[in-house]
Amino acid sequence: MSKEKKISVVFMGTPEFALFPLQSLIEHPGIEVMAVITQPDKKTGRKQVMTPSPVKLLAKKNNIPILQPKKVKDKEFVKLIKGLEPDFIVLVAFGQILPNELIETPKYGSINNHGSLLPMHRGASPIQEALLKGETATGVTIMKINEKLDEGGIYLMKRIPIEEKDDAGTLLAKLSVLGAILLPYVVLDVAKGGLKPIPQDHNKATYCT
């Protein structure tokens, strides 16, 4: 009896928030992370030392091929990803907006793990925004990516309370772990034809300042 083919994923992410989700995909027996895309190394600290992203370090540790394009709209980069023929692109706090040609490359589409209860707090800093607004709850939304900013249909959403002792660091860790729990389930269920994206109510949308 032949083994069931693994679902292939190209993972795109950069900061610590993306680490637990990436680790969960790497460890899942039904998923193969075939490549990791992350932002180019940056100079950090007083000595301006070239430093790799947290996601690059994790990918390197797991011997996963790494790509660091300056611009994901570059035609050669898009051609390279198309050549991989992934089932999914999974994006977690990557740092660039994907062109439509790249979004539509995977067999089952591209999905994003976003740290808010969409359509609230679309944009780059949803965790900080929830704290600044004094909100009592937040969560993770797994959504289908389209060309617009965090406007795609929602596959799955999970809410958690914001406790008085929470700060940006603790909340980031909680939501990173939550995304790690949800992502493999969404990837496998979408591939089986189970989960379908539900359109967002754009009239209720808010954006990170």
Side-chain angles (χ1 to χ4, degrees), residues 2-61:
S2 61
K3 290 183 179 180
E4 190 173 345
K5 183 179 178 293
K6 291 185 177 184
I7 300 298
S8 61
V9 167
V10 168
F11 185 89
M12 305 182 74
T14 300
E16 287 187 8
F17 181 68
L19 292 181
F20 283 121
L22 174 55
Q23 188 68 48
S24 73
L25 294 174
I26 291 170
E27 292 178 354
H28 197 286
I31 296 170
E32 176 196 2
V33 180
M34 59 195 321
V36 163
I37 320 300
T38 191
Q39 296 282 55
D41 296 2
K42 291 184 177 180
K43 292 181 179 179
T44 60
R46 294 178 64 182
K47 294 185 179 181
Q48 291 291 282
V49 178
M50 289 298 289
T51 306
S53 73
V55 162
K56 180 180 179 179
L57 293 175
L58 181 57
K60 191 174 182 180
K61 180 181 176 182

Side-chain angles (χ1 to χ4, degrees), residues 24-204:
S24 73
L25 294 174
I26 291 170
E27 292 178 354
H28 197 286
I31 296 170
E32 176 196 2
V33 180
M34 59 195 321
V36 163
I37 320 300
T38 191
Q39 296 282 55
D41 296 2
K42 291 184 177 180
K43 292 181 179 179
T44 60
R46 294 178 64 182
K47 294 185 179 181
Q48 291 291 282
V49 178
M50 289 298 289
T51 306
S53 73
V55 162
K56 180 180 179 179
L57 293 175
L58 181 57
K60 191 174 182 180
K61 180 181 176 182
N62 287 276
N63 299 311
I64 299 170
I66 301 161
L67 295 169
Q68 296 178 274
K70 289 183 178 179
K71 294 183 178 180
V72 292
K73 294 181 180 180
D74 180 81
K75 289 183 179 180
E76 287 302 313
F77 173 74
V78 174
K79 183 179 178 181
L80 182 59
I81 300 305
K82 282 186 172 183
L84 294 176
E85 299 183 347
D87 292 321
F88 285 95
I89 286 175
V90 174
L91 188 146
V92 185
F94 173 59
Q96 295 185 47
I97 294 176
L98 308 189
N100 195 54
E101 189 177 9
L102 193 58
I103 292 169
E104 295 182 352
T105 290
K107 181 178 180 180
Y108 300 111
S110 300
I111 63 176
N112 180 23
N113 176 94
H114 187 74
S116 82
L117 300 170
L118 289 173
M120 292 179 64
H121 307 325
R122 293 171 175 171
S125 54
I127 295 171
Q128 294 86 343
E129 195 75 9
L131 290 168
L132 285 170
K133 293 289 193 294
E135 290 169 3
T136 57
T138 186
V140 162
T141 302
I142 313 294
M143 52 163 281
K144 185 178 178 68
I145 298 175
N146 62 21
E147 279 191 290
K148 297 181 179 179
L149 181 64
D150 299 328
E151 292 191 17
I154 295 170
Y155 284 119
L156 191 63
M157 183 185 294
K158 184 72 174 178
R159 178 187 300 262
I160 63 168
I162 298 176
E163 301 175 4
E164 286 188 19
K165 62 183 179 182
D166 276 325
D167 57 23
T170 61
L171 205 52
L172 181 148
K174 288 178 182 180
L175 294 181
S176 181
V177 170
L178 185 58
I181 294 169
L182 301 180
L183 261 178
Y185 166 76
V186 172
V187 165
L188 294 172
D189 209 53
V190 171
K192 291 175 182 176
L195 283 171
K196 304 294 182 184
I198 299 171
Q200 297 184 39
D201 185 348
H202 302 303
N203 293 321
K204 294 181 179 179

